[in-house]
Amino acid sequence: MPIKTKGLVPRAWRILKRVVIFLFVFQLFYLLLLKWVYPPITLTQLGSLLGGDGLKRSYVSMKDISPYAKLAVICSEDQLFPDHDGFDFKSIEKAMKHNQKSKSLHGASTISQQVAKNVFLWQGRSWLRKSLEVYFTFMIEWMWGKKRILEMYLNVSEMGKGVYGIEAASHSNFNKPARNLSRLEAAKIAACLPNPKVFTIKPLSNRVATRSVWIIGQMGILQNDPDIQKLLQ
């Protein structure tokens, strides 16, 4: 009996359109929801859990995070964070020039880009993931604002093997809540961020020891900037 193909293509197209519309509406709803709540889990956290690294995580609000921690991650990761719209194009251009001449790759991701990747996407360097990262970066800058982006960054970033967020990192390394972190302790956690599984506080890696001193110096320079002060309050 011949297979009836007439009408299958239009039907498949209608189904595909409905799926695309549903996914688009769902991600808008999820984006808006995360302006006030934290993600139940991220793909990176799920990978850590399934990969055997475990998952230590405790979400906390901005009022329960030391101003030193907020300042330290800005100084370490994205000093233009209060001023840009999600992308630091000068740093991107500089990183591209470096990567063309060197085998070691330099990144230029802002805090906003890292939040977009860590909350909504997976780890990797594919063009698809990078394109989605651009989209979600624009969306969170537009829908959330800088304070919420920084708050989310401090709660979902990997800060140790299986350790996610500043509260878990603070307890894991210093046996205290994040609101009680000192300037040096906050700088040490921030110094781990490029690769927290390799750059460790316990035991103290050379990278963390040297970079934390640099971060403290930057904190002294930037702490009185009016735009940064607004984010620390």
Side-chain angles (χ1 to χ4, degrees):
M1 189 178 202
I3 299 175
K4 296 181 179 180
T5 59
K6 187 177 180 179
L8 285 180
V9 173
R11 191 181 311 146
W13 177 243
R14 286 196 299 270
I15 293 172
L16 179 60
K17 284 196 295 184
R18 288 172 184 171
V19 170
V20 170
I21 291 171
F22 170 79
L23 291 175
F24 181 74
V25 172
F26 176 79
Q27 62 86 25
L28 283 179
F29 170 78
Y30 192 54
L31 270 162
L32 184 61
L33 182 66
L34 293 189
K35 185 174 181 177
W36 297 284
V37 302
Y38 294 106
I41 196 165
T42 68
L43 290 175
T44 303
Q45 292 171 358
L46 183 61
S48 177
L49 189 61
L50 297 178
D53 287 343
L55 177 57
K56 296 178 183 177
R57 183 194 72 182
S58 182
Y59 293 142
V60 290
S61 65
M62 286 288 262
K63 65 181 178 62
D64 291 319
I65 300 174
S66 165
Y68 294 134
K70 303 169 193 176
L71 180 59
V73 298
I74 291 173
C75 290
S76 175
E77 296 296 292
D78 185 3
Q79 295 190 6
L80 296 178
F81 176 64
D83 305 313
H84 62 60
D85 294 323
F87 303 93
D88 182 354
F89 293 105
K90 287 185 178 180
S91 294
I92 292 172
E93 183 181 0
K94 184 178 179 181
M96 290 177 65
K97 288 181 179 178
H98 170 86
N99 295 339
Q100 290 173 353
K101 299 176 182 178
S102 174
K103 293 182 179 179
S104 63
L105 296 179
H106 280 192
S109 292
T110 63
I111 285 176
S112 303
Q113 288 176 269
Q114 291 180 55
V115 169
K117 176 184 68 176
N118 291 333
V119 173
F120 300 102
L121 303 171
W122 60 95
Q123 303 299 315
R125 291 182 176 272
S126 69
W127 283 108
L128 173 61
R129 193 202 64 76
K130 201 65 182 176
S131 299
L132 290 171
E133 179 186 304
V134 170
Y135 168 76
F136 282 111
T137 299
F138 276 121
M139 293 300 286
I140 63 175
E141 282 278 341
W142 174 52
M143 296 178 70
W144 293 4
K146 294 293 186 180
K147 273 195 174 183
R148 180 57 176 169
I149 293 171
L150 181 60
E151 182 178 19
M152 190 69 80
Y153 180 83
L154 286 162
N155 275 286
V156 302
S157 296
E158 186 177 19
M159 298 184 176
K161 188 177 181 180
V163 177
Y164 291 84
I166 193 69
E167 182 75 2
S170 183
H171 279 285
S172 178
N173 290 294
F174 303 112
N175 298 310
K176 61 170 64 174
R179 65 175 176 271
N180 293 335
L181 284 170
S182 69
R183 183 182 291 262
L184 177 58
E185 290 165 346
K188 285 182 177 180
I189 292 176
C192 297
L193 289 172
N195 192 341
K197 291 180 181 178
V198 175
F199 306 138
T200 58
I201 297 173
K202 296 167 60 178
L204 185 65
S205 69
N206 290 333
R207 158 82 181 205
V208 172
T210 56
R211 185 165 175 80
S212 60
V213 173
W214 178 84
I215 291 172
I216 288 175
Q218 296 300 298
M219 290 168 73
I221 295 170
L222 296 179
Q223 64 184 358
N224 294 322
D225 182 282
D227 293 328
I228 288 180
Q229 275 296 317
K230 292 177 183 178
L231 294 172
L232 304 184
Q233 295 171 0

